[in-house]
Amino acid sequence: MLARLALAATLLLAAPAAAQNAAPERPAWALAIHGGAGVIERQNLSPEQDAAYRASLQRALDAGAAVLEAGGSALDAVQAAVQLMEDDPLFNAGRGAVFTGAGRNELDAAVMDGPTRNAGAVAGLTRTRHPIAAARAVMEQSPHVMLIGEGAETFAAARGLEQVDPAFFFTESRWRALERTLRERGEPVPERPAGAQSPGAMAALPQPPLDERKFGTVGAVALDREGRLAAGTSTGGMTAKRWGRVGDVPVIGAGTYASNADGCAVSATGDGEYFIRATVARDICAAIGAHQRMSPGDHAANDAGAAMACAGEPDEAGCRHRLRITQTAASWEIDDVASLGGSGGVIVLGPDGDIAFAMNTSGMYRGAVVAGGAPRVAIYADEE
């Protein structure tokens, strides 16, 4: 790993230097979101499902952007966007989360404040409606970073966070996915949860495709008018997970990280075990931070190499855009995850409000908007 990072410092940090000289002025604020990455292909989504996902992403973007436009904090914007996705049955977080092998919804979340590098995380929640709010409460109202299980639930309730019956999180498509997975394993299917709505009653809610194979996480990264960065992530984990499994989302530095010292905020989605082993979010920020701390002389010395990398390209400006530090750092780290055998993606907010998406999957539900710009949402890997 150290050798890989040393190589990254030599190659990846040098490449964006020329592009940096032409970088636009930092926007007043910026926001990016994701709703999970994985095998998401056009032939697997009906036109109605495609439109439903894009509309949901747009609503989450609008919620976060409204906070930022009004002068609110990056933390508030992240929470606003994530909470909308936690309430949306299309995403594997909150209502719409996948089921464990025992037929429960166990929810994880994390949030991090860039200026202070304070962080909060929760794992294994079953009754707290908005896990992202619980993670923020851990950060702001406790001396701890991570709380799990019953203790986390007790803490959230004591802080006045909304509690719901576990049946609130139930969705028909996620239950059918659990049944299919357990039958494929040759394992018994648990009884339908008490209080769960009937299939007919659930039909009115938007549903993900039944053959969907994606990694369940929602997340947001934001930069506010005061220059503060924040990141937040929330997930239901893996279908049919057992033994109290916890993935990368609540592990600070793996699935979630933000640091104004590095000029970086990251939220990840994918095979959590690999993202933990690769310390994905922290590595991306370390690379961006190292680039930020390069001397003017170092940048000047690397200009020629960056220009050479794009020389002769039909779209030289586009080439330099792809080589900017935020995108390069994100892509390097996702390549590292792939080298370990993992799949997934990241959203990254870098210096000057630069937004990057990187994935080694066929799709990732995602969106971005900056002050004064038009919002954009995308699903498939080949979309800009």
Side-chain angles (χ1 to χ4, degrees):
M1 174 63 74
L2 290 177
R4 186 185 67 79
L5 289 177
L7 180 61
T10 302
L11 299 178
L12 112 209
L13 299 181
Q20 185 188 48
N21 295 335
E25 184 179 349
R26 180 179 81 82
W29 53 262
L31 174 70
I33 63 172
H34 71 79
V39 182
I40 307 168
E41 299 175 344
R42 286 178 174 83
Q43 63 267 29
N44 295 333
L45 288 180
S46 69
E48 294 75 17
Q49 288 169 328
D50 183 293
Y53 273 110
R54 292 178 192 273
S56 291
L57 292 167
Q58 186 64 60
R59 284 193 294 271
L61 271 183
D62 290 345
V67 171
L68 295 169
E69 181 62 25
S73 72
L75 277 170
D76 287 344
V78 163
Q79 184 174 343
V82 170
Q83 284 191 175
L84 266 184
M85 291 187 283
E86 285 177 334
D87 279 343
D88 193 321
L90 286 175
F91 301 110
N92 176 12
R95 191 181 199 193
V98 299
F99 288 89
T100 69
R104 291 159 43 98
N105 302 112
E106 294 181 359
L107 314 174
D108 308 335
V111 68
M112 190 163 182
D113 178 49
T116 63
R117 281 186 284 180
N118 287 337
V122 290
L125 296 181
T126 61
R127 290 181 173 273
T128 301
R129 177 173 178 173
H130 292 124
I132 194 71
R136 185 170 179 181
V138 171
M139 179 180 73
E140 296 179 336
Q141 302 178 46
S142 87
H144 307 301
V145 171
M146 184 186 295
L147 300 180
I148 65 171
E150 184 178 347
E153 209 90 78
T154 300
F155 171 82
R159 294 302 181 273
L161 300 183
E162 183 177 358
Q163 303 294 292
V164 296
D165 187 281
F168 172 84
F169 302 113
F170 182 96
T171 55
E172 186 65 29
S173 63
R174 302 301 189 195
W175 184 254
R176 291 172 67 180
L178 173 66
E179 291 177 326
R180 182 176 63 247
T181 300
L182 292 178
R183 285 169 180 151
E184 288 173 352
R185 290 182 184 174
E187 298 176 9
V189 176
E191 291 185 9
R192 193 179 182 90
Q197 291 181 291
S198 67
M202 296 299 295
L205 292 173
Q207 301 287 326
L210 291 177
D211 61 349
E212 180 186 53
R213 302 186 305 284
K214 77 176 182 68
F215 305 110
T217 303
V218 303
V221 291
L223 170 72
D224 64 29
R225 292 182 181 274
E226 301 300 319
R228 296 169 296 197
L229 289 159
T233 320
S234 182
T235 187
M238 298 172 61
T239 298
K241 62 184 179 181
R242 298 193 291 171
W243 308 303
R245 179 265 185 189
V246 176
D248 63 305
V249 164
V251 179
I252 302 302
T256 309
Y257 198 79
S259 167
N260 271 67
D262 291 323
C264 174
V266 180
S267 177
T269 170
D271 284 325
E273 284 71 14
Y274 296 96
F275 280 69
I276 293 171
R277 289 160 57 189
T279 60
V280 166
R282 180 66 183 97
D283 276 6
I284 291 171
C285 286
I288 292 174
H291 183 268
Q292 290 290 95
R293 290 184 283 274
M294 288 175 67
S295 70
D298 289 334
H299 280 295
N302 285 313
D303 277 352
M308 185 180 299
C310 293
E313 291 286 334
D315 179 12
E316 185 171 338
C319 172
R320 292 190 179 190
H321 176 74
R322 290 190 295 274
L323 288 177
R324 69 198 193 277
I325 180 58
T326 311
Q327 186 64 58
T328 308
S331 297
W332 266 83
E333 201 59 32
I334 290 301
D335 287 347
D336 190 39
V337 169
S339 75
L340 296 175
S343 297
V346 291
I347 58 173
V348 183
L349 188 53
D352 300 319
D354 191 24
I355 294 170
F357 301 103
M359 69 202 83
N360 60 14
T361 56
S362 59
M364 178 167 70
Y365 301 114
R366 60 199 187 275
V369 62
V370 301
R376 56 192 175 94
V377 297
I379 296 177
Y380 312 106
D382 58 4
E383 290 184 86
E384 288 295 330

